[in-house]
Amino acid sequence: MCRWITSTVWSHVSGLDLYSGAAGIALFLAALGGITEERRWRDLAMAALGPVRAIRAAADGGARTARQMGIGGATGTGSLVYGIVRIAGLLDEPALIEEAQRLSLLIDETSIAADQRYDVTDGAAGAILGLLALYRASRDMAVLQRAADCGRHLLQGQVEDDLGNRGWHTVPGVKRILTGFSHGAAGIALALLRLYRATGDVGFRNAAQDALGYERRVFIPEAGNWPDLRFSPAPAAAGQPCQWCHGATGIGLARLGGLGLIDDPVAAAEIDTALVTTCDAPLSPYDHVCCGNFGRLDFLLTAGQRLDRSDLVATARKRAAELTAQAAGSGGLRWLHGDDSINPGFFQGISGIGYEMLRLAAPEMLPCILLLD
């Protein structure tokens, strides 16, 4: 299976970022190299990472690239910082941490002020998660300061709706405060809680609690899920998504990531609800980790690890085997567009599925990328 996956990751590479570009592909290859200890995968990972490492060597120091990408944790410079930190650990290459520190300088006052997305995927919340990963690896206080700058930007960007709910407008053209991990309250709250733990600044904790409170008020009990408010009117209760990006899977994962960061007596019940909803959800038409089946499996695996529930780990592995057998029998995995060969990226491509399969095989060796751990 690994040979099948790696044979497809080089064509149709789109950009530099973790979501669909070189950083995400390199991360998968680094994980493969770290687990198998085969030199060829390590070499491929470093080759794939080459364009990312070259950003700071540009005549403008990478400023133009940074402006184009934004600062997000999946699509922006925050994702590059995070990806390099994780690759450094997987390949035991401490020199890469210094490169991540230099790259993190692109998340500066100007780029933070320019951010109008705020969320994990495209905005300041994702930058916080990437910078905090670098801070844990480097203990560089300047990196923590930039993460705090991103946090203050989030505080300044909070809005209040007609019902008194506080949150962020994260998707252009959508005037509602969104739920969920990728663009909504769950992911932003997780970033702020981690920042609170690192800095002790109660302003970050309070804003996170605003976000959690909002998400809890709009919960749909009969669906065991949270509404996807990108659309008006919102889908019926039975039609809410169950994905990493939107819905119960990602929100449950975010609550797992937040355990122990503050005293939150409601989170455990929310995780249980999200697990039931995820397990009961019909099979997604797509297999990738962002909006599809393998993202659900990552939630089950991570919950199994952190809650000491071997049944969830077993369920994740069983379902992965079924999906793999289905793909082998039908000639490939299932994508929104095209086949395996034109979907090489991490969040909506074969690199993310490859990484998840490695995590299912050796979960203690690989971090949860969907949590930006």
Side-chain angles (χ1 to χ4, degrees):
M1 185 68 177
C2 285
R3 287 192 180 89
W4 167 44
I5 290 173
T6 52
S7 70
T8 70
V9 299
W10 293 110
S11 62
H12 298 88
V13 176
S14 175
L16 300 171
D17 60 48
L18 183 68
Y19 193 92
S20 60
I25 294 170
L27 179 56
F28 160 58
L29 293 169
L32 188 58
I35 286 181
T36 65
E37 299 184 348
E38 291 188 29
R39 183 76 193 189
R40 57 176 173 160
W41 304 130
R42 177 192 186 93
D43 291 345
L44 280 171
M46 294 300 286
L49 193 60
V52 177
R53 300 174 72 188
I55 290 173
R56 291 290 287 169
D60 64 355
R64 180 180 179 184
T65 298
R67 286 195 302 272
Q68 291 173 335
M69 293 186 70
I71 62 175
T75 63
T77 50
S79 80
L80 305 183
V81 170
Y82 177 79
I84 292 175
V85 170
R86 287 290 153 257
I87 291 167
L90 290 167
L91 297 182
D92 192 22
E93 285 281 355
L96 287 177
I97 297 297
E98 296 178 9
E99 295 193 32
Q101 287 174 282
R102 290 192 291 272
L103 191 62
S104 75
L105 295 173
L106 294 171
I107 304 175
D108 58 14
E109 181 180 347
T110 300
S111 64
I112 294 169
D115 168 49
Q116 296 298 310
R117 299 300 297 270
Y118 303 109
D119 60 23
V120 167
T121 296
D122 301 312
I128 289 169
L129 294 173
L131 290 168
L132 288 179
L134 176 58
Y135 172 66
R136 292 192 296 270
S138 67
R139 310 314 294 183
D140 182 346
M141 291 301 296
V143 172
L144 181 59
Q145 180 59 52
R146 284 195 293 282
D149 290 342
C150 290
R152 285 186 283 273
H153 174 71
L154 284 177
L155 300 188
Q156 293 167 1
Q158 271 189 305
V159 297
E160 187 170 310
D161 68 15
D162 294 339
L163 298 176
N165 298 305
R166 292 180 60 80
W168 295 266
H169 292 154
T170 58
V171 174
V174 177
K175 296 303 182 183
R176 303 176 80 176
I177 299 171
L178 299 184
T179 67
F181 199 113
S182 63
H183 300 297
I188 296 172
L190 176 62
L192 287 167
L193 289 177
R194 287 187 184 170
L195 189 57
Y196 163 66
R197 175 55 64 92
T199 65
D201 188 326
V202 296
F204 301 141
R205 181 198 64 193
N206 293 342
Q209 290 175 320
D210 286 342
L212 294 172
Y214 165 67
E215 216 161 41
R216 286 162 180 165
R217 284 190 289 276
V218 298
F219 175 70
I220 308 171
E222 62 270 27
N225 207 339
W226 291 260
D228 182 355
L229 298 172
R230 291 173 295 167
F231 310 104
S232 185
Q240 299 300 329
C242 188
Q243 306 163 348
W244 169 79
C245 47
H246 299 281
T249 295
I251 292 173
L253 193 60
R255 300 294 195 269
L256 272 175
L259 288 178
L261 297 178
I262 57 170
D263 182 16
D264 186 354
V266 182
E270 290 180 306
I271 293 166
D272 287 342
T273 296
L275 285 168
V276 170
T277 301
T278 298
C279 286
D280 290 348
L283 202 65
S284 170
Y286 311 117
D287 288 324
H288 53 74
V289 300
C290 178
C291 319
N293 294 308
F294 275 87
R296 296 176 183 174
L297 300 189
D298 192 75
F299 174 38
L300 300 182
L301 174 63
T302 303
Q305 287 180 285
R306 300 191 180 195
L307 303 177
D308 194 24
R309 287 189 54 181
S310 58
D311 61 310
L312 293 174
V313 176
T315 297
R317 287 173 171 162
K318 178 177 181 292
R319 292 187 178 187
E322 293 169 351
L323 290 168
T324 302
Q326 182 183 69
S330 63
L333 296 156
R334 296 177 303 173
W335 312 105
L336 180 61
H337 302 292
D339 57 19
D340 296 342
S341 67
I342 65 167
N343 291 281
F346 197 97
F347 276 79
Q348 289 195 2
I350 204 163
S351 290
I353 291 177
Y355 185 91
E356 185 58 30
M357 291 169 64
L358 292 171
R359 241 174 74 73
L360 287 161
E364 70 286 350
M365 295 180 66
L366 298 177
C368 177
I369 303 304
L370 296 189
L371 273 174
L372 274 79
D373 270 349

